[in-house]
Amino acid sequence: MNLATAKEAYRDARKLLALASEEWCASYDVERGRSEICSKEPMTGEVEPIALILPECSREDRRLMSHAPTYMRAMDFLLQLAFDEIVRLRRSSGQRAEKPKDFAAECSMKCAEPAFKKYLEERHGLATPLTNDRAATRVRSILAISSRKELNEDAAAAERWRQLRADFDLWRRHG
């Protein structure tokens, strides 16, 4: 059975389950000498035969057939709980999922900060005048990257950026 077939069968079973008798039972008709599956009317308790069970039918098959509505409703109930839990978990994990850091954008903003440009001048030889473009070029050289977008695509480049940023933060605190 493939997924599409299983989904269709499940939808069909749910529709039929709403229409089927709520409870079945097995009975033995002594006069006729045969086993039957019977439907039980929930309001009156009246038992009505709905299927004949042949003698070759195993005890397990007979039990499965006689309890089919109860088993189906139990499985449907459990599936609905599972589906609800999956939806709840997806929503909660979606809310908690952190958006990946955009190191390229962060680097671009840092290169526009006067303090970062001063740091690059003092620690990494950035030539004057201290422009954003010169700062960006110097950072690419320090990090050994050709484009800032590599900071989002290459874990090693991102780690080098984090180290440079940490060194800058240390320099800013202690001069």
Side-chain angles (χ1 to χ4, degrees):
M1 178 177 286
N2 63 32
L3 182 59
T5 305
K7 285 181 176 182
E8 184 59 36
Y10 177 67
R11 282 191 291 273
D12 191 39
R14 288 200 80 205
K15 288 176 194 169
L16 290 174
L17 207 48
L19 303 171
S21 303
E22 210 166 294
E23 188 179 348
W24 292 352
C25 60
S27 73
Y28 187 75
D29 185 343
V30 178
E31 294 174 13
R32 296 184 184 146
R34 63 183 187 189
S35 294
E36 300 169 324
I37 300 283
C38 299
S39 169
K40 279 173 91 175
E41 172 57 45
M43 299 294 275
T44 64
E46 187 177 334
V47 175
E48 207 45 55
I50 58 172
L52 177 64
I53 301 176
L54 299 175
E56 294 81 15
C57 184
S58 72
R59 175 179 150 86
E60 293 78 17
D61 286 343
R62 181 178 298 125
R63 184 168 179 219
L64 183 62
M65 288 186 288
S66 66
H67 292 81
T70 304
Y71 294 158
M72 291 291 296
R73 283 185 175 84
M75 284 189 273
D76 184 50
F77 176 76
L78 292 173
L79 278 171
Q80 290 306 309
L81 285 177
F83 295 154
D84 291 346
E85 183 67 7
I86 289 167
V87 168
R88 187 191 69 75
L89 289 171
R90 282 184 179 165
R91 284 184 185 144
S92 68
S93 71
Q95 291 168 353
R96 285 193 312 243
E98 261 187 54
K99 189 177 175 185
K101 277 273 210 186
D102 188 349
F103 293 125
E106 182 183 63
C107 181
S108 178
M109 289 185 279
K110 283 281 187 218
C111 288
E113 286 181 24
F116 188 69
K117 288 186 266 194
K118 189 69 175 162
Y119 158 78
L120 290 175
E121 178 187 34
E122 289 183 15
R123 290 281 177 96
H124 295 282
L126 179 63
T128 56
L130 305 179
T131 65
N132 295 355
D133 287 338
R134 284 186 178 199
T137 301
R138 188 69 192 121
V139 166
R140 286 193 302 272
S141 173
I142 294 165
L143 299 178
I145 58 175
S146 57
S147 169
R148 285 187 291 227
K149 76 177 187 174
E150 289 178 49
L151 299 175
N152 294 336
E153 299 168 351
D154 180 355
E159 181 55 33
R160 290 191 301 272
W161 166 248
R162 283 192 288 271
Q163 288 173 356
L164 182 67
R165 190 184 58 198
D167 188 51
F168 166 64
D169 290 338
L170 189 64
W171 173 85
R172 190 180 346 199
R173 282 194 299 272
H174 301 293

